[in-house]
Amino acid sequence: GAYQALLFLDLDNFKTLNDTLGHDVGDRMLMEVADRLRQSVHASDTISRLGGDEFVILLGHLSESVEDAAAQAAVIGDQLISRLAEPYVLGSHIHRSSASLGITLFCGNTVSVDEILKRADMAMYQAKSAGRNTLRFFDPTLQAGLNARLRMEQDLYRDLAQREFSLHYQPQVDAQGHCLGVEALVRWNHPQRGWISPLDFIPIAEDSGLIQPLGAWIMETACQQLVAWQAHPLTAGLSVSVNVSPRQFMRPSFVSDMIHLLHTIPLDPNKLVIEITESIFLDNLDAVVQKMAALQKYGLRFSLDDFGTGYSSLSYLKRLPLERVKIDAAFVHDILTDPTDAAISQAIIVLGRSLGLTLVAEGVETTGQWQLLQEQGCHLGQGYLFAKPMPAPALQAWLMAQAPASLTAGSAPV
Ligand code: C2E
Ligand code: CA
Ligand code: CA
């Protein structure tokens, strides 16, 4: 009936110590930390080093009341934190350090070991983001979020098998009002919850690895659509942009999978644009450039998505084999009212043009915005001003309504 507590402890900025003073000093530091931990808990408690600078401490036999058990764990946690904040003598160095601590309580065996560890780990991250050198308890509202996520992950898995996904396509329009391409955007029609935004499920698909099968399905479906469109004059000129998430792109087989797809689906590779975000480049810029160059040889084009929001490194624009850059909707949104946003979009456009890139503005909602963007030199616009993302048949009807009579003479492709 007694509660126990699991404490997840992570040293703050340990990596810096390792990097500056070397691993010998780092090792000595870890041993000193272990000693201090040992001195701070009962002999019957368990201390372990999980790896790196992470320690896990199991406190047994706390109170049978959850409030009292929490208070007991907090007292010990606080002691650990102040003990670990005392200076360390490492050879000739005096080192100062601190630790972040996550605590979760449990009783009996209703919760799995993995789950308990995960909760303590999550709480530790809360402590880190609260500024380090502190402790946090696992919070049940965090858990509610965790459960919802887990459920969504299971549903994703189920619906992926049952093909509950579809692609919508949003036009990209030039200064003359011609639609030159579309962006494929995935939609999930959940049997109980209705339409779920990709903003909600793509991150979960990425974390769980489900982005691999989902992304493969998206790519293949978009390519099939592209081939179908190539056969009809109304749609033959369209390029299709497909979003590829970092985890999908970094997979070792991404290039060979794409090449295989190009061999099996008879599409014009020039019409396929891969949209990537800057977060891809944080990993290993050289490897990314190599992958892009390999696919570029096959005729594929690359677009840098959401430009202006992340690192927005100007050197990426130069180093990467990009064909286009998308100005993030956040700048477009306030372009008429906020001079800074207007200046940023102007700068991106001038720079992009000088590097020979095609500029695409996202989230264009008003004629005023589009006018200014065109004056600034932007090539293509995408947004509700032109059309919302829509299923392929609706897109064809939309194109038909825009097109001159000569093109609409035949029947639209199915
Ligand atoms: P994104 O790539 O930046 O896509 C543009 C988003 O802006 C889309 O949201 C689109 O519906 C929305 N949008 C377009 N025009 C307007 C406008 O005028 N005003 C406003 N307020 N919004 C507009 P959506 O479809 O919900 O997609 C959200 C994000 O989810 C995408 O952002 C992309 O990051 C991700 N995503 C969508 N489809 C896929 C996919 O197939 N694969 C991957 N990996 N990610 C995807
Ligand atoms: Ca995109
Ligand atoms: Ca975007």
Side-chain angles (χ1 to χ4, degrees), residues 166-168 170-171 183-187 196-203 206 211 214-215 217-219 241-246 248 275 277 305-306 326 328-329 332-333 361-366 369 382-389:
S166 59
L167 290 187
H168 282 201
Q170 186 175 35
E183 177 176 8
L185 294 156
V186 67
R187 298 290 177 260
I196 300 180
S197 164
L199 293 173
D200 294 329
F201 69 83
I202 291 286
E206 287 193 350
I211 193 69
L214 179 61
W217 178 85
I218 291 168
M219 186 57 80
S241 299
V242 180
N243 294 283
V244 170
S245 76
Q248 208 182 334
E275 288 200 6
T277 53
D305 208 351
D306 305 335
K326 298 186 83 172
D328 192 75
V332 175
H333 189 260
E362 297 186 306
V364 181
E365 294 184 347
T366 69
Q369 291 167 346
Q382 179 183 341
Y384 297 165
L385 171 65
F386 312 106
K388 293 199 169 180

Side-chain angles (χ1 to χ4, degrees), residues 15-147:
K15 194 177 173 305
T16 318
L17 172 79
N18 246 346
D19 291 348
T20 51
L21 295 180
H23 287 249
D24 288 353
V25 178
D27 286 351
R28 227 171 305 149
M29 167 80 182
L30 290 175
M31 288 189 267
E32 175 65 27
V33 167
D35 269 342
R36 292 188 190 184
L37 293 179
R38 215 175 284 136
Q39 291 157 15
S40 310
V41 300
H42 292 296
S44 60
D45 297 329
T46 306
I47 303 170
S48 69
R49 174 168 167 248
L50 203 62
D53 58 346
E54 291 176 342
F55 293 84
V56 170
I57 301 148
L58 181 65
L59 304 177
H61 306 295
L62 302 176
S63 169
E64 291 187 14
S65 121
V66 66
E67 287 85 10
D68 292 348
Q72 291 168 331
V75 168
I76 297 173
D78 278 332
Q79 282 168 358
L80 290 178
I81 287 176
S82 40
R83 188 81 179 83
L84 295 178
E86 289 166 16
Y88 296 78
V89 183
L90 306 168
S92 57
H93 300 279
I94 304 284
H95 182 65
R96 292 203 155 268
S97 179
S98 62
S100 300
L101 192 62
I103 306 179
T104 187
L105 297 172
F106 61 96
C107 185
N109 57 2
T110 50
V111 183
S112 74
V113 173
D114 279 349
E115 179 63 29
I116 294 171
L117 267 169
K118 200 152 81 183
R119 290 180 181 183
D121 187 31
M122 262 171 99
M124 186 277 290
Y125 271 100
Q126 294 291 108
K128 286 260 185 221
S129 46
R132 295 155 196 252
N133 194 26
T134 185
L135 67 80
R136 283 291 179 274
F137 274 85
F138 176 75
D139 174 351
T141 56
L142 278 180
Q143 170 160 36
L146 192 80
N147 290 347

Side-chain angles (χ1 to χ4, degrees), residues 222-248:
C223 287
Q224 306 275 15
Q225 186 60 66
L226 186 51
V227 170
W229 279 338
Q230 274 170 25
H232 192 276
L234 180 72
T235 47
L238 290 181
S239 66
V240 175
S241 299
V242 180
N243 294 283
V244 170
S245 76
R247 183 135 178 215
Q248 208 182 334

Side-chain angles (χ1 to χ4, degrees), residues 165-193:
F165 296 85
S166 59
L167 290 187
H168 282 201
Y169 299 89
Q170 186 175 35
Q172 295 170 332
V173 174
D174 72 4
Q176 284 73 45
H178 297 137
C179 175
L180 301 189
V182 294
E183 177 176 8
L185 294 156
V186 67
R187 298 290 177 260
W188 182 14
N189 191 5
H190 189 282
Q192 284 88 43
R193 297 171 52 196

